[in-house]
Amino acid sequence: MTRITRLALALLATALALALTACGDDDDTTSAASDAVPASSGSSGASAAEADPAAFPATISHKFGTTRVETEPQRVVVVGYTEQDTVLALGVVPVGVREFLGGYDDEARPWAQEILGGKELDTIGGEEINYEAVAAKRPDLIIALNTGMGKGDYDRLTRIAPTIAQTDEFVDFGMPWQDQTILIGQALGREARAKELVAEVEERFARARRENPGFADAEAILAYGGPDGYGAYSTQDTRSRFLEDLGFKPSSEIDRIAGDAFFTELSQERFRLIDKDLVIMFGPQDEIEGHEVFGRLDAVKEDRIVYLDLADQFAGALGFSSVLSLPYLLDE
């Protein structure tokens, strides 16, 4: 196994810490729909706050079939856990959003504050979708990519308004941020702007890889641990893709074990699968390292683990993994 030196790990940890204090990104997005304000024009000739009239009617293909969006949506409800970021980045303020789970205060997420301008978004459900609350918002488009929902849930939503879901190319919650951005952009009539945002963020990752060529020689893994068990995330997980986008090599073993899921639980007999050059670990450090078997890993002995509290800003930005939060992670 190629080792990251302690200095390199310290520099990476410092970079992650610096990301927590970053304030905003380079996107020239702003609020739209009923709250539209002037925005600078992109290469498409339309501003971030404007849809392309020629984009409608739009036909969106997804895992449950196709959805036809007849005209520019004016009242958008987001029932996926993270897509509200993408909608905001494209210049639309949703009239209702799903509460983000896991202990992170998504209402205070710093990367969205400039766009929101102090506006609080109404929630339409947490662990479960509140269908009555969704209907009460009188949406003309429902965005439901990161929900893990089944056909029955989809059918129920479509009785309220046209609904788009994730594509069937990926496991539930596993659609890459690039694909999500473009799919949502198509539904909002802002595909050109969506592609611009994707290109901007991809260039920032490319710059990070150029500035840190040593990442390409190292294996990295995203894992979790604590009283409720231990496990690791596969490359199907959007958060793990952050490490790949930085140039790190993923774990093929975890992918094999996880199969069609975005994570896998690990018994202590398999803790060695976590023992990579760099380990990003969700969970309390004292409890994790206090585990007799886990504490024997080389990554623990050689200080090659970065611990993340689920409630902190870095973990929240990683959880959203959007065109808004990813620049926040990369911005030093």
Side-chain angles (χ1 to χ4, degrees):
M1 180 188 296
T2 302
R3 300 294 184 193
I4 290 183
T5 66
R6 294 194 181 197
L7 174 60
L9 181 61
L11 290 173
L12 177 61
T14 300
L16 300 184
L18 285 171
L20 303 184
T21 62
C23 50
D25 55 48
D26 295 334
D27 297 336
D28 58 350
T29 52
T30 185
S31 58
S34 59
D35 302 304
V37 296
S40 60
S41 297
S43 60
S44 65
S47 76
E50 297 175 350
D52 177 5
F56 300 102
T59 301
I60 312 301
S61 298
H62 50 77
K63 67 186 294 183
F64 298 119
T66 59
T67 296
R68 185 178 172 90
V69 183
E70 296 290 346
T71 60
E72 179 186 353
Q74 299 297 317
R75 298 184 61 81
V76 177
V77 166
V78 179
V79 298
Y81 290 107
T82 61
E83 300 95 294
Q84 56 177 287
D85 262 11
T86 306
V87 174
L88 287 169
L90 290 169
V92 175
V93 178
V95 296
V97 298
R98 185 86 167 267
E99 180 184 352
F100 189 79
L101 303 180
Y104 175 69
D105 181 10
D106 60 299
E107 290 185 2
R109 63 194 192 281
W111 55 90
Q113 295 312 303
E114 183 176 355
I115 295 176
L116 287 171
K119 179 182 177 65
E120 292 187 5
L121 303 179
D122 293 338
T123 57
I124 40 76
E127 288 191 21
E128 303 293 336
I129 299 172
N130 185 332
Y131 294 95
E132 290 74 19
V134 173
K137 290 298 179 182
R138 296 177 288 108
D140 47 20
L141 177 66
I142 299 173
I143 296 176
L145 274 62
N146 293 316
T147 62
M149 68 181 180
K151 184 65 162 55
D153 300 305
Y154 172 76
D155 290 341
R156 190 170 180 181
L157 288 171
T158 58
R159 288 195 288 270
I160 300 172
T163 301
I164 63 170
Q166 74 166 74
T167 63
D168 58 5
E169 302 169 69
F170 310 97
V171 302
D172 285 349
F173 302 104
M175 191 173 181
W177 62 267
Q178 297 97 322
D179 299 73
Q180 291 189 44
T181 304
I182 293 172
L183 187 72
I184 293 171
Q186 292 170 343
L188 296 176
R190 292 163 167 81
E191 184 176 5
R193 180 57 182 155
K195 290 180 177 179
E196 287 178 353
L197 290 171
V198 168
E200 290 168 10
V201 178
E202 286 185 333
E203 172 51 33
R204 298 189 72 163
F205 274 113
R207 186 164 70 241
R209 292 193 297 271
R210 291 192 298 268
E211 294 171 353
N212 300 277
F215 289 173
D217 298 322
E219 284 187 284
I221 194 168
L222 185 70
Y224 65 89
D228 296 329
Y230 289 72
Y233 298 95
S234 75
T235 55
Q236 296 266 20
D237 184 79
T238 54
R239 294 162 297 183
S240 289
R241 290 196 179 100
F242 176 72
L243 296 173
E244 282 193 86
D245 286 342
L246 284 174
F248 288 102
K249 292 184 293 187
S251 170
S252 57
E253 296 168 294
I254 294 299
D255 277 0
R256 178 179 56 80
I257 296 171
D260 292 332
F262 65 89
F263 76 100
T264 181
E265 296 179 350
L266 295 174
S267 63
Q268 63 182 23
E269 289 77 19
R270 284 183 160 175
F271 280 179
R272 63 174 182 80
L273 298 178
I274 300 177
D275 211 359
K276 304 300 182 183
D277 298 307
L278 172 65
V279 183
I280 307 294
M281 197 83 183
F282 287 114
Q285 181 173 352
D286 292 344
E287 292 183 7
I288 294 173
E289 291 188 347
H291 191 289
E292 181 180 1
V293 177
F294 191 89
R296 298 175 191 162
L297 298 180
D298 290 338
V300 175
K301 297 175 183 176
E302 298 174 10
D303 298 326
R304 288 187 278 107
I305 300 182
V306 176
Y307 293 91
L308 294 180
D309 187 307
L310 287 173
D312 71 31
Q313 297 293 2
F314 187 85
L318 197 58
F320 271 84
S321 286
S322 69
V323 287
L324 279 186
S325 72
L326 291 172
Y328 173 86
L329 293 179
L330 293 169
D331 191 0
E332 294 183 15

